[in-house]
Amino acid sequence: MELKLRKDVPVELTWDLSSIYTKEDELQKDMENLKVLCSRMVQDYKGKLDSPQMINSCLDDFREVTRLLTLAGTYCSLAVSVDYYNTHNQEQDEAISRLASEISSQLSFIDTEIASQKESVLEEAIAIATDNKCYLQDILRRKPHQLHPEAERAVAALSQTIGAPYQIYNMAKLADMKFDSFVVDGTEYPLGYSLFEDNYEYEENPSIRRKAFAAFSARIREYENVTAAAYNTHVQTEKTIATMRGFDSVIDSLLFPQKVTQEMYHRQIDLIMEKLSPHMRRFARLLQKIHKLDRMTFADLKIAVDPKFDPKVTIEESKTYIEKGLSILGDDYVEMIREAYRDRWVDFAQNQGKSTGGFCASPYGVNSFILLSWNDRMSDVFTLAHELGHAGHFKACNKNQSIFDTDVSTYFVEAPSTMNELLMAHYLLKNNPDPRFRRWVLSCMISNTYYHNFVTHLLEADYQRKVYQIVDNGGSVNAPVLSRLMKETLQNFWGEDVEISDDAALTWMRQPHYYMGLYSYTYSAGLTVATQVCKRIEQEGAQAVDDWKKVLAAGSTLDPVGLAKLAGIDITTDTPLLDTIAYIGEIIDEIEKLTEELHSDTNTSS
């Protein structure tokens, strides 16, 4: 079925951006206010940031600039994300991007002037600060990598240009790329990016599933060179800036704002590639056996263990599941969930030109906004619970922290979201003893929660690391190189158990995460923390929940190690990750056992 245009989607399936601006005039007013405030700050503070009092006064005003830019930027980007065909929204988004670049350039003196002060001045400024304390501490930390003021101003002024590769990627993928239908056994099937990723990848019929994958791959291959050129431009820019700032490598540069060591980064990738691979290969063999497939291909990896047992769930029904599943987090959390449904925080619609996947945006001072495409599957319930995890996290830290203290390290940011997926699964397991239902929930944990975060994104991270190693050694990448790197990564993980074709190698074209720094590996990092905290909650109850709520409220006032420690987890060792991998293996063990029992029961009854 052909997807609707955005204008034809029922309004109740769309999010309501009026909590940011009720009309565009308010957006324009904020943009004008930003220009006025920026001009006044230049006049009042430029060349004068030489005392603790003046520094804090300037940062007080800068918090307001940050707030207004966040609101305006979020409003425009959200409008674009649901309809890349809408040129008016694109123009507004580009206008706010230009304004953000101009303001960033004009106010670049703030960080450079503060960083140029003696450490004693900065320490005194920190001592008398309230909402600016962590911001000033970060300036001290960044001081060795600060550029000359004019260089910082130039980099800031070029921010829109620096971000252009990501814009090109999205325009090629979501606006220009059109898909023809495909035919299987005389029946014609429509095809699109979200139709493939949300439907055909899970299709039970192998002929339809594999033909859809072939047709999808053939079309995206036509864009491989422009996509590769955009990505190469992005990574080369990152390398140039890393070198300018005195970092030894791009990886060091990108880990710096995450407050993560290379040891933590490499451990996450290396241990999963080595230790998880045998478990997931076993799961792939189980899928092949259950479905009686002639061979296991990359296109078959997302099929269900029990496709005949895939409960359909309406949006209204999902509300009950999520409220009950996450009720362990408290009445205030359940009320947030009700508010999200009631006040249209979520964009459920499927329409042409809409971003694929799902995300949650949480601008400071207003509610969150969640994008996904609802397909009436229980997997959608897990996705929504995941995104509500982000919403609950930022509701807590936005309420308790300064806007400067809500930029949580990406190493940790996926922990609250994946935690919610686990809590949902545990709730379902406790409330239905039926073996077939239990196997279905456990398989959802593997094929959705753990596969998505510990396999899909982790393999992206392994591939991405290879790209940066090439760039750090002075090289560049193109479409054949990127396909080769992705194919090698997939083959290393799946071995002889899964057939990795040249179409599978094009997986590098499908994720926007590569334009977001070292983000892909953080999904498994966050889920490692979530798994361990979820175990604590199961064993200790209220005390573990209370600790977790403190973590959610802490924002970026602690680094990832400190946040995990507050939750009772030590991520400076291999233990949490190895324990999580072992837990995944135990789930697969039980799925295999239940499959044998259910198969035996079927044979006996027949």
Side-chain angles (χ1 to χ4, degrees):
M1 185 176 180
E2 190 72 20
L3 290 180
K4 295 180 179 180
L5 295 172
R6 182 68 179 183
K7 66 180 178 64
D8 298 324
V9 170
V11 68
E12 62 268 20
L13 297 181
T14 66
W15 54 28
D16 181 9
L17 300 183
S18 67
S19 59
I20 306 179
Y21 298 117
T22 57
K23 50 188 178 181
E24 287 187 7
D25 288 353
E26 294 173 353
L27 167 66
Q28 299 302 324
K29 184 178 179 181
D30 269 1
M31 292 175 71
E32 291 303 315
N33 289 340
L34 276 165
K35 294 175 185 176
V36 172
L37 180 54
C38 179
S39 296
R40 182 178 65 76
M41 288 181 68
V42 171
Q43 181 177 347
D44 291 350
Y45 300 116
K46 191 169 185 179
K48 304 171 185 176
L49 298 179
D50 53 5
S51 72
Q53 293 75 19
M54 188 64 81
I55 288 171
N56 273 293
S57 177
C58 177
L59 291 181
D60 289 342
D61 283 341
F62 190 49
R63 288 204 313 278
E64 178 63 6
V65 170
T66 304
R67 187 186 72 84
L68 292 176
L69 274 176
T70 299
L71 291 178
T74 302
Y75 180 85
C76 292
S77 66
L78 291 177
V80 168
S81 69
V82 293
D83 189 1
Y84 271 82
Y85 297 158
N86 189 310
T87 56
H88 172 71
N89 290 343
Q90 287 180 25
E91 289 167 0
Q92 281 201 144
D93 192 43
E94 290 169 4
I96 190 62
S97 294
R98 287 194 299 272
L99 178 60
S101 295
E102 292 168 9
I103 288 175
S104 181
S105 177
Q106 291 179 52
L107 299 184
S108 64
F109 73 88
I110 296 173
D111 283 6
T112 53
E113 283 193 28
I114 294 174
S116 68
Q117 302 304 312
K118 295 178 181 178
E119 287 196 13
S120 59
V121 174
L122 292 181
E123 288 167 357
E124 186 179 345
I126 291 170
I128 66 171
T130 51
D131 293 337
N132 306 323
K133 191 180 296 290
C134 291
Y135 189 93
L136 288 166
Q137 289 170 338
D138 280 342
I139 287 181
L140 258 180
R141 183 170 171 265
R142 294 195 309 267
K143 193 171 182 177
H145 303 288
Q146 198 76 24
L147 302 177
H148 183 278
E150 286 306 310
E152 289 287 358
R153 178 169 179 165
V155 170
L158 290 169
S159 59
Q160 186 179 18
T161 303
I162 291 170
Y166 182 41
Q167 184 180 20
I168 293 169
Y169 168 80
N170 273 325
M171 292 301 289
K173 174 180 174 180
L174 301 171
D176 289 347
M177 207 176 287
K178 304 292 192 301
F179 293 84
D180 296 326
S181 58
F182 62 97
V183 177
V184 176
D185 296 332
T187 301
E188 186 173 349
Y189 296 89
L191 184 61
Y193 227 106
S194 61
L195 276 175
F196 173 73
E197 293 192 337
D198 295 335
N199 290 280
Y200 293 124
E201 281 198 298
Y202 306 93
E203 167 64 43
E204 181 183 358
N205 186 317
S207 297
I208 297 174
R209 183 176 64 249
R210 292 174 178 177
K211 187 64 179 290
F213 182 60
F216 175 82
S217 300
R219 179 47 52 97
I220 68 173
R221 180 177 280 107
E222 295 174 5
Y223 294 80
E224 64 178 347
N225 291 312
V226 67
T227 306
Y231 183 45
N232 184 58
T233 300
H234 174 74
V235 295
Q236 297 297 339
T237 301
E238 288 180 315
K239 173 60 177 175
T240 298
I241 293 175
T243 301
M244 288 170 59
R245 295 195 178 280
F247 289 99
D248 293 333
S249 71
V250 182
I251 290 174
D252 285 327
S253 173
L254 297 176
L255 289 178
F256 185 81
Q258 293 183 6
K259 300 179 181 177
V260 168
T261 64
Q262 280 219 24
E263 179 186 7
M264 293 167 66
Y265 166 70
H266 292 300
R267 176 198 293 132
Q268 204 67 30
I269 299 173
D270 293 338
L271 282 182
I272 294 177
M273 289 294 291
E274 176 189 357
K275 303 292 186 181
L276 182 63
S277 175
H279 295 305
M280 294 309 301
R281 291 182 188 186
R282 185 157 50 94
F283 186 67
R285 292 194 297 269
L286 178 63
L287 288 175
Q288 183 178 3
K289 180 180 178 181
I290 290 172
H291 289 269
K292 298 180 174 61
L293 297 175
D294 56 336
R295 67 196 196 284
M296 192 68 183
T297 75
F298 184 78
D300 303 319
L301 284 170
K302 291 190 177 181
I303 53 178
V305 165
D306 190 351
K308 302 299 184 186
F309 192 86
D310 188 13
K312 295 294 183 182
V313 183
T314 66
I315 293 171
E316 186 60 31
E317 290 168 339
S318 72
K319 181 180 176 183
T320 302
Y321 276 113
I322 293 176
E323 283 185 17
K324 291 182 177 179
L326 302 181
S327 62
I328 194 171
L329 296 176
D331 293 342
D332 54 341
Y333 205 93
V334 172
E335 181 53 37
M336 180 203 71
I337 293 167
R338 292 171 180 161
E339 187 180 348
Y341 281 89
R342 183 182 67 242
D343 295 346
R344 290 174 44 213
W345 294 12
V346 187
D347 200 277
F348 294 100
Q350 293 189 47
N351 61 264
Q352 296 181 39
K354 181 177 178 178
S355 291
T356 58
F359 66 73
C360 176
S362 301
Y364 195 83
V366 296
N367 57 266
S368 293
F369 299 90
I370 294 169
L371 178 143
L372 51 80
S373 295
W374 193 262
N375 293 279
D376 290 329
R377 292 194 178 99
M378 185 61 83
S379 59
D380 297 327
V381 179
F382 282 92
T383 299
L384 183 50
H386 175 108
E387 301 303 343
L388 284 166
H390 288 306
H393 182 192
F394 284 98
K395 180 178 181 180
C397 71
N398 287 356
K399 178 182 178 181
N400 290 278
Q401 306 298 338
S402 154
I403 194 170
F404 286 161
D405 300 332
T406 60
D407 188 18
V408 180
S409 170
T410 51
Y411 184 93
F412 192 87
V413 80
E414 293 298 337
S417 53
T418 51
M419 161 70 85
N420 278 13
E421 293 187 53
L422 296 178
L423 292 175
M424 282 295 306
H426 287 197
Y427 162 77
L428 293 171
L429 289 171
K430 288 177 182 175
N431 286 274
N432 191 329
D434 177 67
R436 192 176 184 187
F437 183 84
R438 183 174 182 84
R439 182 181 69 160
W440 174 78
V441 175
L442 292 171
S443 66
C444 282
M445 292 177 71
I446 294 300
S447 60
N448 293 328
T449 301
Y450 284 107
Y451 185 96
H452 188 67
N453 298 287
F454 259 73
V455 180
T456 298
H457 293 320
L458 196 282
L459 294 178
E460 294 168 5
D462 184 72
Y463 150 84
Q464 186 184 37
R465 181 170 61 173
K466 293 172 183 174
V467 171
Y468 282 127
Q469 287 168 345
I470 290 172
V471 172
D472 270 333
N473 288 322
S476 61
V477 291
N478 54 33
V481 169
L482 295 174
S483 291
R484 174 177 60 79
L485 293 177
M486 179 56 77
K487 192 171 187 178
E488 288 173 357
T489 293
L490 295 174
Q491 288 173 332
N492 288 342
F493 188 83
W494 293 110
E496 299 299 320
D497 293 295
V498 179
E499 178 184 297
I500 305 299
S501 64
D502 289 341
D503 284 349
L506 295 175
T507 304
W508 64 267
M509 296 182 64
R510 293 170 53 186
Q511 274 294 354
H513 294 145
Y514 307 128
Y515 297 87
M516 303 173 186
L518 295 175
Y519 190 23
S520 295
Y521 90 99
T522 66
Y523 281 87
S524 63
L527 183 50
T528 300
V529 173
T531 301
Q532 299 305 307
V533 175
C534 193
K535 283 188 170 186
R536 270 201 70 203
I537 290 175
E538 293 288 316
Q539 295 164 4
E540 302 174 30
Q543 182 58 56
V545 172
D546 287 344
D547 289 344
W548 186 240
K549 287 185 174 181
K550 292 174 185 174
V551 171
L552 298 182
S556 57
T557 59
L558 295 171
D559 63 15
V561 171
L563 290 169
K565 184 178 180 181
L566 187 59
I569 312 298
D570 181 5
I571 58 173
T572 63
T573 72
D574 293 358
T575 302
L577 181 53
L578 290 174
D579 183 76
T580 300
I581 292 172
Y583 176 63
I584 296 171
E586 291 167 7
I587 296 175
I588 295 173
D589 289 341
E590 186 171 357
I591 294 172
E592 287 182 321
K593 181 181 177 182
L594 288 168
T595 299
E596 290 177 8
E597 292 174 356
L598 289 165
H599 181 70
S600 175
D601 290 345
T602 301
N603 288 341
T604 301
S605 62
S606 62

